[in-house]
């Protein structure tokens, strides 16, 4: 399996895909996805859902408006891997929020 294969297999098994943002909670600095989950910013423009996430999303804009969260990193066997390249993320653990 090539470098990118492991995180792609992980993402397919978990059915991880992009999430459209339907709302914002300005008071708590959260994005609310169409999946009704709250996403917090853990790094500049890197978003996560839940207390112990295993997927990190990149916030992107659509040409017609709106925000879409696209999978960027997955936690596979204790290592954060880039979904596209399979390379190790530039961090070992999530930054404190």
């Amino acid at each position: 399996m090539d470098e990118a294969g492991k995180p792609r297999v992980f993402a397919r098994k978990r059915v991880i895909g992009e999430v459209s943002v339907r709302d914002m909670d300005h008071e708590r600095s959260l994005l609310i996805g169409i999946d009704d989950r709250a996403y917090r910013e853990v790094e500049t423009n890197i978003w996560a859902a839940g207390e112990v996430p295993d997927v990190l999303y990149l916030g992107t804009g659509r040409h017609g408006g709106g925000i879409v969260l696209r999978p960027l990193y997955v936690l596979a066997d204790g290592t954060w891997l880039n979904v596209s390249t399979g390379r190790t993320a530039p961090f070992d653990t999530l930054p404190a929020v």
Side-chain angles (χ1 to χ4, degrees), residues 6 73-82 86-89 91-92:
K6 188 176 188 178
Y73 299 110
V74 293
L75 186 60
D77 297 327
T79 303
W80 287 102
L81 301 174
N82 184 291
R87 292 193 177 114
T88 304
F91 48 82
D92 293 330

Side-chain angles (χ1 to χ4, degrees), residues 1-89:
M1 185 177 308
D2 67 357
E3 237 180 36
K6 188 176 188 178
R8 286 186 185 147
V9 167
F10 178 90
R12 274 196 300 271
K13 282 183 182 176
R14 292 269 325 280
V15 191
I16 297 168
E18 65 180 40
V19 178
S20 294
V21 173
R22 68 168 175 79
D23 203 359
M24 292 180 180
D25 180 334
H26 293 284
E27 276 186 26
R28 298 186 307 164
S29 299
L30 298 173
L31 298 178
I32 311 301
I34 60 168
D35 58 1
D36 290 323
R37 293 173 51 166
Y39 294 82
R40 72 185 191 287
E41 195 170 29
V42 296
E43 268 293 320
T44 302
N45 208 28
I46 307 265
W47 299 83
E51 292 298 316
V52 184
D54 57 1
V55 180
L56 299 178
Y57 297 84
L58 176 66
T60 62
R62 286 199 169 140
H63 290 288
I67 299 170
V68 175
L69 301 175
R70 292 194 167 96
L72 180 60
Y73 299 110
V74 293
L75 186 60
D77 297 327
T79 303
W80 287 102
L81 301 174
N82 184 291
V83 172
S84 297
T85 67
R87 292 193 177 114
T88 304

